Amino acid sequence: MSSSSRETIFTNLRAALPESSPLPDLPPSGPWQTFDDPFARFCEVLGTVGGDCQRVATIAEANDQLAKIEPYQAAKVKVSVVDGLGDSTIDINAIEDPHDLENVDYAVLRGHFGVAENGAIWVTDDTLKHRVLYFVPQHISLVIPASQIVNNMHEAYDRIEVGKHAFAGFISGPSKTADIEQSLVIGAHGARSLTVFAVDEL
């Protein structure tokens, strides 16, 4: 394709673009959606997207509950970055190439807070050496303080410092897709299950 043909195509496309609309004029502070019991709503929504929420008083209690989870019992390769919760069969600090973590069956990781309206958990790369652990294990558990549940994404973004982390994001439930014939598939691109331990003592 010649440059003149390409320019003709782009010119025609630009001419066919609809008139842009101005961005909505959002109020700087609400009113946003809130809940009488944000934690209950967080667990409810997390359940609808395939996750499981367990509230426990202590890390020791979380450890007892983790030991009952079937995928954890069956896991051969485990990683935990939470002291006192689960165990590790490999030392991730001794691993330099994240590709070497492709066979992790179960990972226990930290989150910072949850969002009630969508069951999401804010995670950042400063809590572990290899961020791929949020995505490559077959199953993951995230640990958050039970007291740190915000109502909505507006409140969530108020807590986030943009640019502070090389990687950060929200995780809501296990991996899933419904692209193929509208059939929901859990574990399509990442973890097949997600359990959130909301710990009172943290």
Side-chain angles (χ1 to χ4, degrees):
M1 179 184 296
S2 68
S3 60
S4 60
S5 296
R6 184 168 56 246
E7 186 57 36
T8 299
I9 293 171
F10 285 145
T11 299
N12 290 337
L13 287 174
R14 293 187 190 101
L17 289 175
E19 185 176 346
S20 62
S21 300
L23 294 173
D25 186 18
L26 295 177
S29 60
W32 313 120
Q33 180 176 227
T34 59
F35 306 96
D36 293 336
D37 187 342
F39 180 78
R41 180 64 176 174
F42 170 80
C43 293
E44 177 187 353
V45 176
L46 182 63
T48 64
V49 297
D52 180 47
C53 178
Q54 297 191 28
R55 184 166 190 165
V56 294
T58 63
I59 287 292
E61 185 179 343
N63 192 54
D64 292 340
Q65 296 302 315
L66 177 66
K68 299 176 183 175
I69 296 175
E70 187 175 333
Y72 183 78
Q73 295 172 345
K76 295 180 179 178
V77 181
K78 305 175 185 178
V79 172
S80 175
V81 300
V82 181
D83 291 341
L85 181 52
D87 56 10
S88 298
T89 60
I90 57 176
D91 180 5
I92 63 168
N93 292 318
I95 294 175
E96 296 302 326
D97 185 351
H99 292 90
D100 293 338
L101 297 168
E102 64 179 350
N103 62 343
V104 173
D105 296 309
Y106 207 109
V108 180
L109 311 171
R110 287 190 179 278
H112 295 286
F113 63 87
V115 185
E117 70 173 354
N118 58 11
I121 301 99
W122 175 246
V123 299
T124 59
D125 59 0
D126 58 345
T127 61
L128 72 176
K129 182 176 180 179
H130 297 293
R131 64 192 184 197
V132 296
L133 283 172
Y134 289 119
F135 309 105
V136 298
Q138 294 293 316
H139 307 271
I140 63 174
S141 285
L142 292 174
V143 180
I144 60 173
S147 62
Q148 299 301 307
I149 304 293
V150 299
N151 285 289
N152 52 60
M153 292 299 289
H154 298 282
E155 294 178 6
Y157 279 111
D158 281 342
R159 291 187 170 206
I160 295 170
E161 184 178 345
V162 177
K164 182 178 180 180
H165 303 283
F167 167 80
F170 289 98
I171 294 178
S172 182
S175 168
K176 48 197 167 294
T177 182
D179 294 341
I180 302 173
E181 297 180 352
Q182 299 300 300
S183 178
L184 180 62
V185 177
I186 300 292
H189 310 295
R192 294 155 57 195
S193 73
L194 168 66
T195 301
V196 175
F197 289 108
V199 183
D200 289 331
E201 74 172 3
L202 293 179

